[in-house]
Amino acid sequence: MTILFCAFILTMTSDNQKGDQYMSPQDHVHAQVMARRQGDWRNGGIVYQVFVDRYVPSLNLDAKRHLYDAPRTLHPWTEVPVGGHDAPEVGVWTHELAFWGGDLKSLATKVDYIQGLGSDVLYLNPIQAGLTNHKYDADDWAEVAPEYGTRQDVMDLAKSVHSKGMKLILDGVFNHMGRRSPKFRAAEKDPKSPYRNWFFFGKQFRNGYRSWANTRNLVEVRLENPVVQDYLWAKPDSVVQKYLSDGVDGWRLDTAYELGPNYLSKLTESAHKAKPGSVVIGEVWNYPQGWSPSLDGIMNFYARRIVLETIHGKISARSANNYLERMVQDAGIEPLLKSWFILDNHDTDRLKSMLPETKARRLAQILQFTLPGSPVLYYGVEVGMQGVGDPGSRGPMRWDLVNKDNEDLMWMRNLIKVRKEHPALKFGDYVALDCENLIGFSRRTDKALETVVVLANPTDAPITETVSFRDGKLMNGGLLKDVLSGVQVFTLAGLAEVTVPAKTARIFEYVSSKGYTPYKRIH
């Protein structure tokens, strides 16, 4: 079966569009929904993810070299991370102890770059004190890793981010903490310790205590303990609430699916109480259904897999279309708009290593930027960094690649520009289209002339198909122009014949007449 994944963006604009006088009662209600979505920063913003140790060289590395004493190692910025070996004496792999020296103060010098790229949200991998470079093994959630900086540095970064019109999100790792945590050491040593009931001990556990995926250094926390809840999220001085009061705008929760909906609900409610309008995003590899309102949104790995598997030819066009449509029906458009759409991150191969062919990679990115949710840019993806697995995908940022001759960077800037110019891509509804060999969907706001229709072709051959746009407000005879190639097509009675070249996306917008327009009484 021929597979077509289409990216065909139809946007209609008119100088003669009228206001509420032409709106039906149903349209008026729809307009109110869209206005609310548009005013909520959590819907559809572009997220930029940073691994702090690897993003910007320290401004004063010599002053903190002592923080990288053995068993840690400090490496030159030009060195590429390589895999290590198990170090039983510390309970981790040696590459987890390899540092490049980046910190919060150095990161702050690149806020202009991050904002200039078009980002709306800066998301940091864990910054809490911990033995490893990744910090998913917190010693103390309330303490910032000294090699990264201080709580004041976090507050200063938040102010800087806010001054550029962006938001700051931290990574919350509340399912487990590090084995060397003072709380765990006290509990392990003394059965009568006040921290004993913070953890799970017993001979039934491989390490004598319950740990995430049986990893020695990731000790699971007893969330059922009310004292733990108070410390993590329930009290005003808790970890979740205090960072929010310090200026942070939300949390991304590691292994959120293992915290369970009950505790996720309590944590999210506490966050919203501490800072109305804050966001809680969960790392959920499951099907997206049922995770709201326990979470504001999830990391949508389900949609990611559909996109990648379709590009690899493993999912048919018809199946992929059905999967996406049912995802929206089951999960709901509101939570999906707040969800994050990643293609790569610190746990996967980098996108350029997954999809080395430029056309295939750009096709995936177009779908990432047009399906519901917030596209997440893992630092360096915009300049074409490569890397396979951990630690290959966590290499130091290649600032030498940030230049006007970098085609990946120019492409990303253009794609971000397209998204920002089309409000429907940020907060619009999703409507599946009935395509035979293409996957198609539209994104719609309350304004007919903001409608966006997306189609894409990941196959090795061009595909031509007559597409029905399923939109009663799409006027007859509309001219569509591809903003990338200049190719034009016309609609007739709600359909158009569209040709999408092999592994190529079309981004069409409606070409409006400067004089007569049939949209004059269509809101």
CSV table of all heavy atoms in Angstrom, one decimal, residues 447-469:
chain,number,residue,atom,x,y,z
A,447,LYS,N,-11.8,31.5,13.2
A,447,LYS,CA,-11.7,32.3,12.0
A,447,LYS,C,-11.5,31.4,10.8
A,447,LYS,O,-10.4,30.8,10.7
A,447,LYS,CB,-10.6,33.4,12.1
A,447,LYS,CG,-10.9,34.4,13.2
A,447,LYS,CD,-9.7,35.4,13.4
A,447,LYS,CE,-9.9,36.4,14.5
A,447,LYS,NZ,-10.1,35.7,15.8
A,448,ALA,N,-12.4,31.4,9.8
A,448,ALA,CA,-12.3,30.6,8.7
A,448,ALA,C,-11.0,30.8,7.9
A,448,ALA,O,-10.4,29.8,7.4
A,448,ALA,CB,-13.5,30.8,7.7
A,449,LEU,N,-10.5,32.0,7.9
A,449,LEU,CA,-9.3,32.3,7.1
A,449,LEU,C,-8.0,32.0,7.8
A,449,LEU,O,-6.9,32.3,7.3
A,449,LEU,CB,-9.4,33.8,6.7
A,449,LEU,CG,-10.6,34.2,5.8
A,449,LEU,CD1,-10.6,35.6,5.4
A,449,LEU,CD2,-10.7,33.2,4.6
A,450,GLU,N,-8.1,31.4,9.0
A,450,GLU,CA,-6.9,31.0,9.7
A,450,GLU,C,-6.8,29.4,9.6
A,450,GLU,O,-5.8,28.9,10.1
A,450,GLU,CB,-6.9,31.4,11.2
A,450,GLU,CG,-6.7,32.9,11.4
A,450,GLU,CD,-6.7,33.2,12.8
A,450,GLU,OE1,-7.1,32.4,13.7
A,450,GLU,OE2,-6.4,34.4,13.1
A,451,THR,N,-7.7,28.8,8.9
A,451,THR,CA,-7.6,27.3,8.8
A,451,THR,C,-6.3,26.9,8.1
A,451,THR,O,-5.8,27.5,7.2
A,451,THR,CB,-8.8,26.8,7.9
A,451,THR,OG1,-10.0,27.2,8.6
A,451,THR,CG2,-8.7,25.3,7.8
A,452,VAL,N,-5.8,25.8,8.7
A,452,VAL,CA,-4.5,25.2,8.2
A,452,VAL,C,-4.8,23.7,7.9
A,452,VAL,O,-5.3,23.0,8.7
A,452,VAL,CB,-3.4,25.3,9.3
A,452,VAL,CG1,-2.2,24.6,8.8
A,452,VAL,CG2,-3.1,26.8,9.5
A,453,VAL,N,-4.4,23.3,6.7
A,453,VAL,CA,-4.5,21.9,6.3
A,453,VAL,C,-3.2,21.3,6.1
A,453,VAL,O,-2.3,21.9,5.4
A,453,VAL,CB,-5.4,21.8,5.0
A,453,VAL,CG1,-5.5,20.3,4.6
A,453,VAL,CG2,-6.8,22.3,5.2
A,454,VAL,N,-2.9,20.2,6.7
A,454,VAL,CA,-1.5,19.6,6.7
A,454,VAL,C,-1.6,18.2,6.0
A,454,VAL,O,-2.4,17.4,6.3
A,454,VAL,CB,-1.0,19.4,8.1
A,454,VAL,CG1,0.3,18.8,8.2
A,454,VAL,CG2,-1.0,20.8,8.9
A,455,LEU,N,-0.6,18.0,5.1
A,455,LEU,CA,-0.4,16.8,4.4
A,455,LEU,C,1.1,16.6,4.2
A,455,LEU,O,1.8,17.5,4.1
A,455,LEU,CB,-1.1,16.8,3.0
A,455,LEU,CG,-2.6,17.2,2.9
A,455,LEU,CD1,-2.9,17.7,1.5
A,455,LEU,CD2,-3.4,16.1,3.3
A,456,ALA,N,1.6,15.3,4.1
A,456,ALA,CA,3.0,15.1,3.9
A,456,ALA,C,3.3,13.7,3.3
A,456,ALA,O,2.5,12.8,3.5
A,456,ALA,CB,3.7,15.2,5.2
A,457,ASN,N,4.3,13.6,2.5
A,457,ASN,CA,4.6,12.4,1.8
A,457,ASN,C,6.0,11.9,2.2
A,457,ASN,O,7.0,12.4,1.7
A,457,ASN,CB,4.6,12.7,0.3
A,457,ASN,CG,5.0,11.5,-0.6
A,457,ASN,OD1,5.2,10.4,-0.1
A,457,ASN,ND2,5.2,11.8,-1.9
A,458,PRO,N,6.1,10.8,3.0
A,458,PRO,CA,7.3,10.2,3.4
A,458,PRO,C,7.8,9.1,2.4
A,458,PRO,O,8.8,8.5,2.7
A,458,PRO,CB,7.0,9.6,4.7
A,458,PRO,CG,5.6,9.2,4.6
A,458,PRO,CD,5.0,10.1,3.7
A,459,THR,N,7.1,8.9,1.3
A,459,THR,CA,7.5,7.8,0.4
A,459,THR,C,8.6,8.2,-0.5
A,459,THR,O,9.0,9.3,-0.6
A,459,THR,CB,6.3,7.3,-0.4
A,459,THR,OG1,6.0,8.3,-1.4
A,459,THR,CG2,5.1,7.0,0.5
A,460,ASP,N,9.1,7.2,-1.3
A,460,ASP,CA,10.1,7.5,-2.3
A,460,ASP,C,9.6,7.9,-3.7
A,460,ASP,O,10.4,7.9,-4.6
A,460,ASP,CB,11.0,6.2,-2.4
A,460,ASP,CG,11.8,6.0,-1.1
A,460,ASP,OD1,12.2,6.9,-0.5
A,460,ASP,OD2,12.0,4.8,-0.7
A,461,ALA,N,8.3,8.1,-3.8
A,461,ALA,CA,7.7,8.5,-5.0
A,461,ALA,C,6.7,9.6,-4.8
A,461,ALA,O,6.1,9.7,-3.8
A,461,ALA,CB,7.0,7.3,-5.7
A,462,PRO,N,6.6,10.5,-5.8
A,462,PRO,CA,5.5,11.5,-5.7
A,462,PRO,C,4.1,10.9,-5.7
A,462,PRO,O,3.9,9.9,-6.3
A,462,PRO,CB,5.8,12.4,-6.9
A,462,PRO,CG,6.4,11.5,-7.9
A,462,PRO,CD,7.3,10.6,-7.1
A,463,ILE,N,3.2,11.6,-5.0
A,463,ILE,CA,1.9,11.1,-4.9
A,463,ILE,C,0.9,12.3,-5.2
A,463,ILE,O,1.1,13.4,-4.7
A,463,ILE,CB,1.5,10.5,-3.5
A,463,ILE,CG1,2.4,9.3,-3.3
A,463,ILE,CG2,0.0,10.2,-3.4
A,463,ILE,CD1,2.1,8.6,-1.9
A,464,THR,N,0.0,12.0,-6.1
A,464,THR,CA,-1.1,12.9,-6.4
A,464,THR,C,-2.4,12.4,-5.9
A,464,THR,O,-2.8,11.2,-6.2
A,464,THR,CB,-1.2,13.2,-7.9
A,464,THR,OG1,0.1,13.7,-8.4
A,464,THR,CG2,-2.3,14.2,-8.3
A,465,GLU,N,-3.2,13.2,-5.2
A,465,GLU,CA,-4.4,12.8,-4.7
A,465,GLU,C,-5.4,14.0,-4.6
A,465,GLU,O,-5.0,15.1,-4.4
A,465,GLU,CB,-4.3,12.2,-3.3
A,465,GLU,CG,-5.6,11.7,-2.7
A,465,GLU,CD,-5.4,10.8,-1.5
A,465,GLU,OE1,-4.2,10.4,-1.2
A,465,GLU,OE2,-6.4,10.6,-0.8
A,466,THR,N,-6.7,13.7,-4.9
A,466,THR,CA,-7.7,14.7,-4.7
A,466,THR,C,-8.1,14.7,-3.3
A,466,THR,O,-8.6,13.7,-2.7
A,466,THR,CB,-8.9,14.4,-5.6
A,466,THR,OG1,-8.5,14.5,-7.0
A,466,THR,CG2,-10.0,15.5,-5.4
A,467,VAL,N,-7.9,15.8,-2.6
A,467,VAL,CA,-8.1,15.9,-1.1
A,467,VAL,C,-9.4,16.7,-0.9
A,467,VAL,O,-9.7,17.8,-1.4
A,467,VAL,CB,-7.0,16.7,-0.5
A,467,VAL,CG1,-7.2,16.8,1.0
A,467,VAL,CG2,-5.7,15.9,-0.8
A,468,SER,N,-10.3,16.1,0.0
A,468,SER,CA,-11.4,16.8,0.5
A,468,SER,C,-11.0,17.5,1.9
A,468,SER,O,-10.5,16.8,2.8
A,468,SER,CB,-12.6,15.9,0.8
A,468,SER,OG,-13.6,16.5,1.6
A,469,PHE,N,-11.3,18.8,2.0
A,469,PHE,CA,-10.9,19.5,3.1
A,469,PHE,C,-11.9,19.5,4.3
A,469,PHE,O,-11.6,20.1,5.4
A,469,PHE,CB,-10.5,21.0,2.8
A,469,PHE,CG,-9.4,21.1,1.7
A,469,PHE,CD1,-9.7,21.6,0.5
A,469,PHE,CD2,-8.2,20.7,2.1
A,469,PHE,CE1,-8.7,21.6,-0.5
A,469,PHE,CE2,-7.1,20.7,1.1
A,469,PHE,CZ,-7.4,21.2,-0.2
